[in-house]
Amino acid sequence: MNFSGIDFDTYFKRYPSADGYFGKYGGSYISPELKAAMDEITDAYFTICKSTKFIGELRRIRREFQGRPTPISHLERLSSSIGNVQLYAKREDLNHSGAHKINHCMGEALLAKYMGKKKVIAETGAGQHGVALATAAAYFGLECDIYMGTVDIEKQAPNVARMKILGANVIEVKEGLATLKEAVDAAFAAYAEDYENCIYCIGSVVGPHPFPMMVRDFQSVIGVEAREQFISMTGELPDALVACVGGGSNSMGIFSGFLNDPVDIYGVEPLGKGPSLGDHAASLTYGTEGVMHGFNSIMLKDENGNPAPVYSVASGLDYPSSGPEHAFLHDIGRIKYDAISDDETIDAFFKLSRLEGIIPAIESAHAVAYAMKLAKEMKRGSILINLSGRGDKDMDYIINKYGIR
Ligand SMILES: *Cc1c(COP(=O)(O)O)cnc(C)c1O
């Protein structure tokens, strides 16, 4: 299929380019030492991802440990409550450890093992990536250092406990505002010191090359499974596909399976409290081109051009940029990006729980809310939602802030 002059039949062969670009986005804006370490990971990945042993082992892990394939559920009662459009959910919430993040963490940790590394390093904000990586590290017998700001450690006590139980070292970062940005800096610094023994595991399709490509490839299992399952359930493709976009990994995972199909694709960003800078984290909807955390993409900037403060009710979505491939697909118009408010999200959270018996992660509830809105406009057809994770982690927050509706 051709779209804006881009031939999607050969898309994955050409994007990213050898130096990690999707059009003008992506690349690798880092120090020479880190660049050398990233080049080593790129070379290893290109060799290993073609090995039948690596592929076979990843497949076995997905089946025997993660619980893949995850099913697609027809959301019949939610659909009827809106009209004639049929809503379906790809159930990434049913992955071991509760969300899609385990898809790339198992891949990254298996790569570390093949490269002969002893340790995996990462930062975490809300703790979801830290927990998924600690799970993978425990499975493979790797050491695991997770950098986390003091503020987040206090806010996310249950995830800190999970990481520790899984055997990870949670390293407190006290500098600056002591949140995600400082944790990223500290984790990068630690990695630059010791890259011979460890591998840095980024938590989404962001960061310098090869991570946006590698994380997409590991997440693409969602799209491959979903396309086959949806066709075998209904005999056709969905009319529309909807996923929430923070850094953009769960969405890139499902979208990658349908880019070459006549399917309308929607990426849903967090509008938070509204469109004023600081009240949301809708970087593709409101941002401009810029470099942060080692890659060029579309980002939200403050008046000095630095990453702007962002807000979302879903802590997994509050990042001031998104992956470079999203920026590219945004510019060529293959994917439409739009934003959903906190209020619409919470409404969808309770509706999906009550009508379908599925309590979604607040991140995923953004996608559900958007699909509900789209269903009203479309009148007929089908929408496939990527349900990126389950809501167990959000129970205390929901009960305290919203009570039971
Ligand atoms: C982390 C997270 C997200 C956001 O990350 P992406 O890289 O955009 O997928 C979405 N949903 C859940 C459940 C998460 O844990």
Side-chain angles (χ1 to χ4, degrees):
M1 192 176 83
N2 236 294
F3 201 96
S4 291
I6 308 287
D7 176 9
F8 277 93
D9 290 334
T10 56
Y11 175 81
F12 292 105
K13 286 208 182 80
R14 290 177 299 120
Y15 295 95
S17 64
D19 48 358
Y21 280 92
F22 301 86
K24 62 181 170 174
Y25 301 112
S28 170
Y29 299 79
I30 47 180
S31 69
E33 302 91 75
L34 273 178
K35 177 80 171 62
M38 291 296 165
D39 287 347
E40 188 204 356
I41 297 176
T42 309
D43 290 345
Y45 176 68
F46 276 126
T47 312
I48 289 164
C49 74
K50 291 188 200 91
S51 119
T52 47
K53 195 157 167 264
F54 181 85
I55 295 167
E57 193 158 354
L58 198 55
R59 283 204 182 128
R60 184 187 61 74
I61 290 166
R62 285 170 172 168
R63 194 173 59 238
E64 295 175 9
F65 179 70
Q66 270 185 248
R68 300 207 74 91
T70 58
I72 287 181
S73 302
H74 184 186
L75 308 175
E76 290 190 58
R77 287 190 357 104
L78 183 66
S79 306
S80 311
S81 78
I82 299 167
N84 293 323
V85 173
Q86 297 307 303
L87 299 166
Y88 296 81
K90 174 66 170 163
R91 302 289 307 278
E92 290 305 294
D93 59 314
L94 296 178
N95 271 296
H96 174 52
S97 78
H100 71 286
K101 285 194 176 72
I102 196 79
N103 293 332
H104 64 251
C105 286
M106 294 310 282
E108 289 172 333
L110 183 62
L111 180 67
K113 196 88 185 164
Y114 269 70
M115 289 174 76
K117 308 287 184 187
K118 295 186 178 57
K119 194 200 280 185
V120 288
I121 292 189
E123 77 290 335
T124 196
Q128 294 303 108
H129 176 53
V131 169
L133 190 62
T135 303
Y139 179 92
F140 289 108
L142 294 161
E143 284 175 57
C144 179
D145 285 356
I146 302 292
Y147 290 80
M148 193 169 183
T150 310
V151 172
D152 290 326
I153 288 181
E154 282 163 12
K155 274 212 294 224
Q156 310 290 342
N159 276 343
V160 174
R162 278 184 198 110
M163 287 185 268
K164 288 184 175 164
I165 288 171
L166 290 161
N169 308 307
V170 178
I171 300 164
E172 181 174 351
V173 180
K174 298 178 183 157
E175 282 78 23
L177 296 174
T179 61
L180 183 62
K181 185 192 170 297
E182 292 77 20
V184 173
D185 294 340
F188 262 113
Y191 177 58
E193 291 270 296
D194 194 24
Y195 64 81
E196 269 153 32
N197 294 309
C198 57
I199 169 170
Y200 192 102
C201 294
I202 291 177
S204 187
V205 288
V206 297
H209 181 61
F211 281 93
M213 168 188 73
M214 211 163 76
V215 172
R216 171 196 77 190
D217 292 355
F218 288 138
Q219 289 294 347
S220 67
V221 65
I222 305 175
V224 170
E225 283 176 12
R227 191 173 185 283
E228 215 178 279
Q229 289 168 321
F230 196 89
I231 291 173
S232 90
M233 275 173 93
T234 68
E236 47 196 44
L237 287 163
D239 293 297
L241 195 59
V242 176
C244 66
V245 182
S249 65
N250 85 85
S251 50
M252 232 21 263
I254 195 158
F255 293 169
S256 64
F258 298 85
L259 287 175
N260 196 28
D261 290 317
V263 173
D264 294 331
I265 305 182
Y266 300 89
V268 185
E269 299 197 295
L271 182 61
K273 295 178 244 181
S276 314
L277 192 65
D279 283 350
H280 65 84
S283 45
L284 294 157
T285 309
Y286 295 112
T288 50
E289 184 179 352
V291 173
M292 64 177 269
H293 295 159
F295 65 106
N296 185 40
S297 188
I298 296 177
M299 61 184 266
L300 294 167
K301 296 175 199 163
D302 65 15
E303 61 280 7
N304 302 317
N306 297 316
V310 287
Y311 161 83
S312 165
V313 67
S315 47
L317 301 180
D318 63 358
Y319 186 64
S321 183
S322 286
E325 191 165 13
H326 282 288
F328 175 67
L329 294 166
H330 167 273
D331 283 9
I332 65 167
R334 176 63 190 95
I335 298 177
K336 184 173 186 298
Y337 294 86
D338 205 344
I340 276 286
S341 70
D342 283 3
D343 290 345
E344 294 166 294
T345 298
I346 299 303
D347 179 53
F349 173 93
F350 283 106
K351 286 232 165 72
L352 189 72
S353 302
R354 285 288 164 90
L355 293 173
E356 297 290 343
I358 301 171
I359 302 178
I362 304 180
E363 289 80 2
S364 323
H366 283 76
V368 177
Y370 192 79
M372 288 165 60
K373 220 167 156 172
L374 191 61
K376 280 183 200 140
E377 289 165 18
M378 279 169 53
K379 308 243 174 0
R380 71 177 76 81
S382 60
I383 304 175
L384 176 60
I385 304 163
N386 197 31
L387 208 71
S388 54
R390 58 183 177 242
D392 306 31
K393 67 182 179 64
D394 300 316
M395 288 301 96
D396 287 347
Y397 178 80
I398 290 278
I399 295 284
N400 290 334
K401 181 139 188 226
Y402 299 96
I404 293 174
R405 284 192 188 169

